[in-house]
Amino acid sequence: MNGNGKKKRIGVFVCHCGVNIAGVVDVERVAKALEGYSGVSFSTHYIYMCSEPGQNMILETIREEKLDSIIVAACSPTLHEKTFQSVIELAGLNPYQVEIANIREQDSWVHSDKEKATLKAIKIVKSMVEKVLQNESLEPIRVGVTRRALVIGAGISGIQSALDIADHGYEVLLVEKNPSIGGHMIQLSETFPTLDCSQCIMTPKMVEASRHPNIRILTYHEVESISGYVGNFKVKIRKKPRFVDPDKCTMCADCEDVCPQIVSDEFNMGLSFRKAIYLPFPQAVPGTYTLDIENCLGLLPIRCGKCKEVCEPDAINYDDQETVFEEEVGAVVVSTGYDLYDLNHLGEFGGEKYEDVINGLEFERILSASGPTGGEVRRPSDGKVPKNVVFIQCCGSRDPENHNPYCSKICCMYTSKHAMLYKHHVPDGNATVFYIDVRTGGKNFEEFYQRTIDEDQVLYVRGKVSKVYKEGDKIIVWGVDTLTGRKIEMEADLVVLAMSMVQTDGVNELLKKLRISSDANGWLSEAHPKLRPVESLNAGFYLAGCAHGPKDIPETVSQASAAVAKVGDLFAQEQLLHEPTVVPVDEDLCSGCGICVTICPYSARELDKEKGVVKVNEVLCEGCGACAAACPSGAAQQRNQTDDQIFSMVRAILRG
Amino acid sequence: MRIRNREKPFGIEKPVTARGQIVIIEDRCKGCGFCIEYCPNDVLRLSDKYNSKGYHPPYVAHEEECVDCGFCQMNCPDFAIFSVEVESGEREPAPAESVKR
């Protein structure tokens, strides 16, 4: 009987799934056994229910037999529930009047005894009949979409995402924690395999982003928290005090000249200095100075005030405050980038003890024309031009026992580029590369690597380095050539380590709050490794760039554009539909104990203190049923999965 | 990203800051030590000698570190110390850690 007291007319359709089900379960017997079972007015079997003839058969049978609900005994509902919902919708029925009895994953695939498997299939289908008898017709929950996106992190992936979303005609907030956009890419000297100058290809993009009418760049801002649900997020953004008005600052550098505080320059990886009031690099966007309050002599109770004294446009405001404000967005692109693995983890290479043992990004700055040495290759300890440079690959990568198990993917190529550029700068120098494998999977990558060996005479040694130490002002590299089996002891003036890429500090904490999952190595997890690589499992969040795993620039840019295509899918919808099989509260039964509030993994439930009952935000509810199981008074009942339904299903199974 | 804290950053350009000379009017000093406490570059020390009031005045221990920030002058309750700019010039920067307060 259904809710109206009218007897239901149920159709049962048993699928063979080729031999997947029919090989173990006697499908004909299952169909026969269901004939005449309570409410079942039609029962049949067919080789592939999901095929077009199978779907047509269901459609015709519903019309001929005047069915009002159906059961498809087939595979898991994750595979084909949607398929059959749309079939019965075509026949004019409510999609929530179809149930899938899973007799493949839960029966034929896990059993071999035909007799027992057939009996089990009959029980499963009968239990589903009991459920369908009490199924209500439901309408999906509809919500609007805020057509505005948030992009977290403004490296190349964030800038590309923001530009693409903006070109689609939607507004974008581009949030960056550093004073300028640009990320790691703007630090690079030249890019493989074409040797384009990184700044030459990056700065036009940065300027384009800053001039685009749809992009609002929020540098020196951080995302504090995100609440809400797909299409309707509320983002709390914290503005860090910059103490300089970007609109007034003319970048005249007068403040920088008088500032007495000297600190290491982050943009140059600590290889040069900057003042406490500084411009991160000449092409910074937005073009404004920033007062780094950590290193300023201080503003309270007294201040040195030299920068403000000389600032002609009066851009400096010592009363700037940290503020938190809220913005509404519909989609979030996470493009937070990467960090390099800390050199201190590699004690055998001296950690950070030896000044001339440096990481790849430091060498990028030394190679860069805008770097601390003005484009000349000099070593940090004494500024001499190094004549013997040793490059070591896989530092912290591909070492599951001690460090990271994964391959950082870009190091083979950038080491090859480093060695080539070094030879271009110092033609009479010697470059040696220690490698485990050279992986050059990419367009024109192998040719580039071959050029390094053939044209630039870089020596590649297959083997690991066990120790790097200092003797006098020489660095000694101890390794092994695994092709000849000989030990190698080599003098070097400079050692460049291809450090592993790791997840950015602090990002995982933020993502835990957003309920985006990450893998064992800290990289963000995609919804499906092959078919949904740019979406997060949490609807409305999209992944771009190295936050999702090591990537080179072309791959990062492609992923950013792909993520934006998905944002476009979301924004193109007039209204978003949400599954109605949520768990509402029966206010008459709810005692307000709040057990369901603490148990809900989606923060969909909260206690209404005035009424003393629990309120449900049905859009946030994913229908997991945890609250329904925990509710001591039976006030939380999942739609179409009520306690009554579950008990009758259990009874049907026990009866056989 | 954490960057390495180098003893001295290198590069073709050396940092330029103002250089200051500190003048101490010893007889006004009452030995409170505010100037020593507030000096960001650790230029001043307390001396062993006595002034006419019987207090220990400070003395300039590392004049080369003075950047003429004027903190000592601003903090002195007795107008007993001030700095004057003598020149601008290249300095070997102190490591970042020691500058951070």
Side-chain angles (χ1 to χ4, degrees), chain A residues 262-265 270-273 355 380, chain B residues 6-11 14-15 92-95:
Chain A
I262 296 167
V263 285
S264 294
D265 185 350
L271 291 169
S272 70
F273 65 91
E355 283 205 68
Chain B
R6 288 179 184 276
E7 283 292 301
K8 47 171 199 233
F10 82 123
K14 290 279 174 231
E92 283 301 340

Side-chain angles (χ1 to χ4, degrees), chain A residues 7 17 23-24 66 164 214 233 286 300 357 388-389 533 557 565 582 635:
Chain A
K7 193 140 199 240
C17 196
V24 181
K66 300 195 170 49
D164 284 2
N214 281 343
F233 293 112
L300 290 170
V357 179
N388 291 299
V389 181
V557 172
V582 296

Side-chain angles (χ1 to χ4, degrees), chain A residues 260-262 270-273 275 295 297 302-304 306 339 342-344 352 354-355 357 362 372-373, chain B residues 1-2 4 6 9-17 40 67-69 71 74-75 91 93 96 99-101:
Chain A
Q261 282 300 77
I262 296 167
L271 291 169
S272 70
F273 65 91
K275 295 292 185 67
N295 290 301
L297 282 178
I302 50 160
R303 52 184 72 142
C304 99
K306 292 200 169 179
D339 272 354
D342 204 317
L343 206 57
N344 285 319
E352 291 185 346
Y354 308 130
E355 283 205 68
V357 179
E362 289 171 325
T373 53
Chain B
M1 190 173 139
R2 196 189 73 83
R4 194 193 305 207
R6 288 179 184 276
F10 82 123
I12 37 176
E13 285 178 67
K14 290 279 174 231
V16 177
T17 56
V67 291
D68 188 35
C69 71
F71 263 34
M74 283 184 259
N75 275 292
R91 283 183 68 226
V99 172
K100 274 193 185 165
R101 299 165 324 120

